[in-house]
Amino acid sequence: MGYKAAYPQEAINGHRAFLARRRELRPAGEYRTPTDDEWEEFLGHFQRRKLSLGDCGRAYGTACIHEHSCLRCPLLRVDPAQRPRLVGIRDNLIARIEEAQREGWIGEADGLQVSLAAATHKLAQLDDLAARRTTTHLGMPSFPEVAGRTVSTLTADPS
């Protein structure tokens, strides 16, 4: 076994050398400057990821494989500020399930149950996130607590 000390500049230079070797192996066309249309398409992807409940986490250049059923999609990242909206959606789903069951629309009720389970799961995720983001106040120690000692002055004996 050996020991090697790695210094920041050495690590940076090693990483740059690795990237240079990898780029030599790849086609040069991959390292060209994108056209204005390509750049607009790239930026547009991220603008189209914004949803009423939060953001879609799908990767650039990928289509929505869930047919825009965002509530059911695991890639939906719900914004905590949109919790009231999600609660409203859940409540609406419950009412729609009751209506579908009352009217005998079994297929509709089954599909809505899946959406309700997803909404309930997203709410649980938000609650879990909120529970993990609690702040514990540790207090600010005062100087005497930090110093831990007192200073005494010695007076000279007049005799």
Side-chain angles (χ1 to χ4, degrees):
M1 290 206 134
Y3 172 78
K4 166 84 170 94
Y7 297 96
Q9 193 60 41
E10 185 180 356
I12 291 168
N13 291 339
H15 182 67
R16 287 181 178 158
F18 167 77
L19 290 176
R21 287 191 305 273
R22 289 283 297 157
R23 286 187 175 134
E24 289 174 5
L25 299 174
R26 307 214 35 101
E30 292 184 6
Y31 297 103
R32 64 178 174 72
T33 303
T35 65
D36 288 340
D37 290 339
E38 290 170 332
W39 188 245
E40 287 301 318
E41 177 191 341
F42 177 75
L43 294 177
H45 166 79
F46 296 100
Q47 291 170 347
R48 285 188 299 275
R49 286 178 28 178
K50 304 243 181 258
L51 307 168
S52 63
L53 289 174
D55 292 314
C56 175
R58 65 186 164 89
Y60 169 71
T62 59
C64 180
I65 61 173
H66 298 100
E67 300 177 9
H68 301 283
S69 181
C70 300
L71 186 61
R72 297 179 182 186
C73 182
L75 297 176
L76 172 64
R77 293 179 294 194
V78 179
D79 180 0
Q82 296 302 321
R83 189 179 196 291
R85 178 187 293 267
L86 186 54
V87 168
I89 290 170
R90 184 206 53 201
D91 294 346
N92 180 268
L93 285 167
I94 292 169
R96 289 175 60 199
I97 290 168
E98 290 171 359
E99 177 189 19
Q101 289 171 341
R102 186 175 57 249
E103 297 295 329
W105 304 329
I106 305 302
E108 180 84 7
D110 288 346
L112 292 170
Q113 288 285 358
V114 174
S115 295
L116 177 61
T120 303
H121 180 69
K122 298 279 187 208
L123 283 168
Q125 285 178 333
L126 284 177
D127 293 342
D128 184 48
L129 180 66
R132 285 186 279 136
R133 286 190 178 173
T134 58
T135 304
T136 303
H137 181 65
L138 300 176
M140 182 62 127
S142 63
F143 184 75
E145 294 170 345
V146 173
R149 59 180 173 227
T150 58
V151 177
S152 59
T153 56
L154 296 175
T155 55
D157 188 9
S159 49

